[in-house]
Amino acid sequence: MRMLTPSIPSPARRHSPWRSYWLETKYELRRVLRTPSFVLPSLLFPNLFYLLFGVVLNRGNGDATRYLFATYGVFAVMGIGLFAFGVTVALERERGLLAYKRALPMPPGAYLAAKVATAMIFATLVSVLLATVAATLGHVALAPWQWAALLAVNVLGVVPFCALGLLVGLLIGAQGAPAVVNLLYLPMSFLSGLWLPLSMLPALFGTLAPAWPSYHLAQIALRVIGMPGDGGSPFAHAALLAGFAAVCWLLARRRLARA
Amino acid sequence: MQCGHAGPRGVRGACAPWLPIRVAERRWQAYAVAAGASPDECHGQRMIAWTDVRAADGPRWDTFPPDVFRMSNPGTPQAVLRGARKRYGKVVALDGVDLALHAGQVLTLLGANGAGKSTAIALLLGLLRADDGEVELFGQAPQVLAARRRIGVMLQSAGIADQAVVGELLDLTRSYYPRPRSVADCIALAGLDGLLGRRYGRLSGGQQRRVQFALAICGDPELLFLDEPTTGLDIEARTGVWRAIRELVARGCGVLLTTHYLEEAEALADRVVVLSRGRVAAAGSMHEIRAHVAQRRIRCLSALDAAVVAAWPGVRDARRDEARLEILTDRAEDAVRRLLAEDAALSELEVQRAGLSEAFLDLTRDSTDDPRREAA
């Protein structure tokens, strides 16, 4: 340790809180990329599942390959939202990071904004991978706007699941969060028709399906690739998802303030 | 000669120019310019080492930093608790605590676990809201971002992710502040040489603590909250942190310190507040707190019978350790006078005032055993 020199502030750069948002996101993304236990499952599992169930086992059935391309995209972003948020936020809250960040002059919301942005970047990555598999091995043919729209649906669709994951993580705590998130993730995927079309399941499942947020996202995705789904308006599904995200966020916010 | 920016510290828009620190800054600036640094060189970030300023001859500056930093009450406090109360359910964590932090002073909070130290800090940082009483940070609620931009924080656990790289943490935390300290200064002050590229989770406990210290000072704060800053540090690193704290304080930074190491409080603190069961059991200068314990320890080589000495008035205890006689007394002068009178062969006489640890134990014992003596 040497003698301190008086640091004369540089007049050149003005302080901007946006830089904190940017850096928070950049370093959060790097942190996640250094965590193989999150990166590998969240990027590879949906692709492997799709390759197996959508492409290999449905060889020759173009409709099934196309249907599952849309629904496995939903399955993938759902996992990213739930695990990136539900588990990480709960863990970081219990380790005291949230309290530390609140004591620091971090711009409000930078922490959560960085987490959402990171989840969206991962949603983009997994969607592009899935689209590559679908276009090459699955021979799925779509118009350019359909590829783009599906990507947008997936990237925006990660948000309601971030909100749900946040709420679960804050309610359950880091110890139980992974188990509860899995308990939500896998049954909800099945019940929303992400693995099998609901028409192939007993009627009860179809009746219950509108209760799951993943069902609504899947319906939007299916409309984009030209499948009728349940025939409801995609905007109604989107509105429901937005409402669901808002409710989760409001419930989570009160707990977050006490972190 | 007018230079566009301040000297040793950043210009604080909200900082009143009449505060001693600002006056001293302007003097420093004028001095630096007079000493040969042209304003252009200032803008070109020419660094003038503190030692250069001190070594240069000049009527006023040979005692730099000026004594104004050490005044017992330099104007408006930076942070205040007034009659603060906080309870968790039925447990009262703070029961009407008053606290004032001043620029250029180290205030040490002492107290057993659960005495309310962490709650007091959480209130001042805006992590908790007081049930009753006032909490102010630079005259504002601590939840206000502008107030917190003037503080640096080191909590007991930062919960920083293991995968984060030290340089990234520093970069990010510096971005929260309008005028951060240069990375080179952070490294120098916290002793982070060679750690910038390392992952946080792969550092030793002591290195992690040093990173947290660097993050606390990286914003060039006016007020530092250090919650047990040297826990887990080896002696060399600890004295390094002490030196850094002293330098910052000499430049006008206020510090709130909690510690379990009493020698740390003795080495750093200007003022001490002892908390016990959510109340202020004692407050004052280090000297005043020590004076709470009138006891002094006398050691000497003497043939006098310990049992006889123990019966002298004012003597609390006397015992023999081989040739050495050890006496605990409230009236050391009387005891010494009588010792010398009764044993002409007495040698190696030594009188010690009780340290902070004795004072501290005594104060907290009083308040737990007998609440009526708290005010004493």
Side-chain angles (χ1 to χ4, degrees):
Chain A
M1 296 188 198
R2 62 168 168 81
M3 203 67 186
L4 182 66
T5 51
S7 50
I8 295 163
S10 151
R13 189 155 71 194
R14 278 198 57 218
H15 177 245
S16 157
W18 295 112
R19 194 175 131 76
S20 296
Y21 282 89
W22 154 240
L23 289 178
E24 199 91 44
T25 307
K26 179 172 144 191
Y27 294 138
E28 170 65 13
L29 185 63
R30 284 198 192 169
R31 184 192 69 76
V32 172
L33 287 173
R34 291 184 194 123
T35 317
S37 59
F38 173 77
V39 175
L40 293 178
S42 66
L43 292 187
L44 288 186
F45 280 4
N47 281 288
L48 290 176
F49 287 168
Y50 176 63
L51 199 62
L52 183 64
F53 299 114
V55 180
V56 177
L57 295 181
N58 275 307
R59 191 161 289 278
N61 184 351
D63 273 355
T65 310
R66 218 148 48 96
Y67 178 95
L68 291 174
F69 168 51
T71 57
Y72 270 108
V74 173
F75 176 72
V77 301
M78 196 170 145
I80 289 168
L82 287 173
F83 281 100
F85 256 80
V87 182
T88 332
V89 174
L91 195 73
E92 294 188 338
R93 176 170 175 260
E94 272 166 39
R95 292 178 64 172
L97 184 67
L98 262 65
Y100 179 59
K101 291 265 187 192
R102 278 179 54 214
L104 290 173
M106 179 186 71
Y111 171 81
L112 286 180
K115 286 260 188 287
V116 175
T118 307
M120 285 177 148
I121 292 167
F122 264 83
T124 311
L125 285 177
V126 77
S127 301
V128 169
L129 270 176
L130 209 58
T132 313
V133 173
T136 54
L137 301 170
H139 307 295
V140 171
L142 292 174
W145 75 265
Q146 284 175 310
W147 293 112
L150 201 59
L151 178 66
V153 166
N154 284 350
V155 171
L156 292 175
V158 79
V159 175
F161 297 101
C162 285
L164 178 61
L166 179 67
L167 182 62
V168 170
L170 292 178
L171 286 176
I172 307 293
Q175 287 286 316
V180 175
V181 163
N182 267 315
L183 221 56
L184 281 173
Y185 183 35
L186 300 178
M188 221 156 73
S189 303
F190 177 71
L191 295 172
S192 309
L194 301 188
W195 296 343
L196 284 174
L198 286 168
S199 55
M200 293 170 70
L201 298 171
L204 177 67
F205 290 95
T207 319
L208 282 177
W212 322 119
S214 41
Y215 168 79
H216 298 284
L217 189 60
Q219 291 303 315
I220 301 174
L222 288 172
R223 280 299 277 274
V224 168
I225 60 161
M227 291 201 154
D230 65 357
S233 153
F235 297 104
H237 290 301
L240 269 166
L241 280 172
F244 174 79
V247 169
C248 286
W249 164 244
L250 284 176
L251 291 174
R253 228 177 70 156
R254 284 188 53 211
R255 280 196 154 251
L256 208 58
R258 279 186 280 133
Chain B
M1 258 192 267
Q2 288 276 313
C3 181
H5 45 250
R9 324 185 72 248
V11 180
R12 307 287 180 191
C15 183
W18 42 265
L19 281 180
I21 173 68
R22 301 286 295 121
V23 174
E25 272 174 15
R26 285 203 300 273
R27 281 189 198 155
W28 184 91
Q29 224 172 276
Y31 183 78
V33 171
S38 74
D40 281 340
E41 281 170 316
C42 275
H43 285 292
Q45 289 205 313
R46 188 193 126 138
M47 299 293 189
I48 298 152
W50 216 228
T51 40
D52 297 344
V53 176
R54 292 180 66 160
D57 54 332
R60 232 185 274 150
W61 297 95
D62 46 1
T63 58
F64 205 87
D67 283 338
V68 72
F69 291 143
R70 287 274 166 192
M71 275 164 41
S72 59
N73 186 8
T76 325
Q78 296 178 310
V80 184
L81 286 185
R82 258 183 236 107
R85 279 172 218 282
K86 180 74 194 174
R87 56 168 69 230
Y88 305 105
K90 282 184 179 170
V91 182
V92 180
L94 283 188
D95 192 8
V97 166
D98 296 310
L99 213 61
L101 306 180
H102 293 280
Q105 271 195 357
V106 179
L107 176 74
T108 300
L109 266 185
L110 292 176
N113 290 330
K117 301 187 300 277
S118 297
T119 306
I121 290 185
L123 287 181
L124 286 167
L125 294 176
L127 295 176
L128 295 173
R129 282 178 195 273
D131 298 331
D132 197 14
E134 286 174 56
V135 183
E136 273 179 21
L137 191 60
F138 294 101
Q140 291 167 297
Q143 283 81 11
V144 176
L145 202 59
R148 288 209 312 284
R149 286 205 174 114
R150 298 165 72 175
I151 65 169
V153 182
M154 181 169 175
L155 299 179
Q156 278 178 42
S157 65
I160 294 166
D162 287 346
Q163 297 89 353
V165 169
V166 174
E168 297 174 354
L169 290 168
L170 204 54
D171 192 24
L172 177 64
T173 311
R174 284 174 77 245
S175 80
Y176 298 156
Y177 292 92
R179 276 166 215 286
R181 197 183 289 283
S182 73
V183 173
D185 271 353
C186 295
I187 294 173
L189 272 166
L192 290 190
D193 294 292
L195 298 186
L196 230 48
R198 303 268 303 275
R199 284 200 195 178
Y200 185 78
R202 294 188 187 154
L203 301 178
S204 72
Q207 288 171 327
Q208 291 188 344
R209 222 51 197 138
R210 261 149 53 201
V211 170
Q212 292 166 26
F213 181 69
L215 299 180
I217 59 166
C218 73
D220 195 10
E222 293 166 65
L223 178 59
L224 258 181
F225 290 85
L226 301 173
D227 200 357
E228 300 185 14
T230 61
T231 306
L233 292 188
D234 58 25
I235 292 176
E236 197 189 343
R238 182 178 303 171
T239 47
V241 168
W242 289 1
R243 196 162 49 226
I245 294 174
R246 284 200 200 100
E247 273 187 46
L248 295 169
V249 170
R251 297 171 68 192
C253 186
V255 175
L256 177 66
L257 176 79
T258 74
T259 179
H260 278 305
Y261 302 110
L262 294 159
E263 69 268 29
E264 183 161 287
E266 292 195 290
L268 294 173
D270 298 299
R271 285 167 60 233
V272 177
V273 169
V274 182
L275 286 182
S276 176
R277 297 184 163 187
R279 289 168 179 270
V280 175
S285 67
M286 180 62 67
H287 183 73
E288 286 165 338
I289 293 292
R290 247 192 247 142
H292 270 271
V293 179
Q295 274 177 34
R296 271 168 287 178
R297 178 175 286 121
I298 302 171
R299 286 199 189 89
C300 58
L301 291 175
S302 166
L304 290 172
D305 185 359
V308 174
V309 175
W312 291 357
V315 173
R316 291 197 176 202
D317 189 27
R319 63 184 60 178
R320 175 163 296 285
D321 180 15
E322 300 195 0
R324 199 170 290 272
L325 189 65
E326 197 174 302
I327 303 162
L328 262 184
T329 174
D330 292 340
R331 296 183 349 228
E333 293 77 8
D334 293 352
V336 168
R337 210 171 283 128
R338 193 157 167 192
L339 275 172
L340 293 170
E342 296 203 3
D343 183 2
L346 182 143
S347 64
E348 291 199 24
L349 179 67
E350 224 181 282
V351 183
Q352 262 185 345
R353 182 181 275 287
L356 190 61
S357 57
E358 283 92 345
F360 172 66
L361 285 174
D362 207 48
L363 284 166
T364 46
R365 194 186 311 120
D366 279 0
S367 54
T368 43
D369 291 352
D370 182 0
R372 280 167 303 172
R373 282 192 60 190
E374 261 179 56

